[in-house]
Amino acid sequence: MDIRVCRNCRKMFQYITGPELCLQCKEAEEEMFQKVKTYLREHPGANMYEINQETGVSVKLIEKFLHDGRLEVSSHSPIVLTCERCGKQITTGRFCSDCKKEVSNEINKVKRMLVSPEKNESDSRPKMRYLESDKIK
């Protein structure tokens, strides 16, 4: 059983998976997301500050929804997101598709190396071995 402290309300809760939020804060965040989603359906060109004023959802939380990939910036939107790795303009998330592929390839390469490591030249040195005591004089 994993007990953690909610990053919003600072209450202790039993952590299962996902963001470190208690059940009440998760439900409140989901409710705010639904407010933003509904508002954007009715006002597709709105910026973050308009959404904040009309829904009461903080700009920081709206940005989190964008970075988590739950919302996407439209092509005519004044909101600009950039890839955290290369700086290219993106519509959702933290990384552009090229950087996602590169990072994924690097992770897979390291994973393969950990699963089946190749012998290094330094591994060719003699290993320790057990000497039987009756042979030692």
Side-chain angles (χ1 to χ4, degrees), residues 28-93:
E29 188 173 287
E30 183 60 29
E31 187 177 308
M32 287 184 255
F33 174 73
Q34 292 302 324
K35 278 185 187 178
V36 171
K37 188 174 158 184
T38 301
Y39 184 78
L40 284 172
R41 279 194 184 129
E42 297 167 3
H43 305 90
N47 64 36
M48 280 193 273
Y49 301 102
E50 291 172 331
I51 298 167
N52 168 258
Q53 293 298 313
E54 295 299 319
T55 64
V57 177
S58 71
V59 171
K60 186 176 179 180
L61 188 55
I62 297 167
E63 287 174 341
K64 180 185 177 298
F65 294 149
L66 286 165
H67 287 297
D68 289 349
R70 296 186 76 186
L71 293 177
E72 186 173 356
V73 177
S74 65
S75 59
H76 60 279
S77 173
I79 301 170
V80 176
L81 291 178
T82 56
C83 175
E84 291 180 6
R85 191 163 181 251
C86 71
K88 189 188 303 183
Q89 191 169 342
I90 56 176
T91 59
T92 190

Side-chain angles (χ1 to χ4, degrees), residues 117-135:
E118 296 177 15
K119 288 197 172 197
N120 296 333
E121 291 176 19
S122 63
D123 287 346
S124 62
R125 64 179 187 246
K127 307 287 184 213
M128 288 184 113
R129 59 192 169 103
Y130 177 79
L131 294 174
E132 294 179 27
S133 61
D134 59 329
K135 293 183 181 180

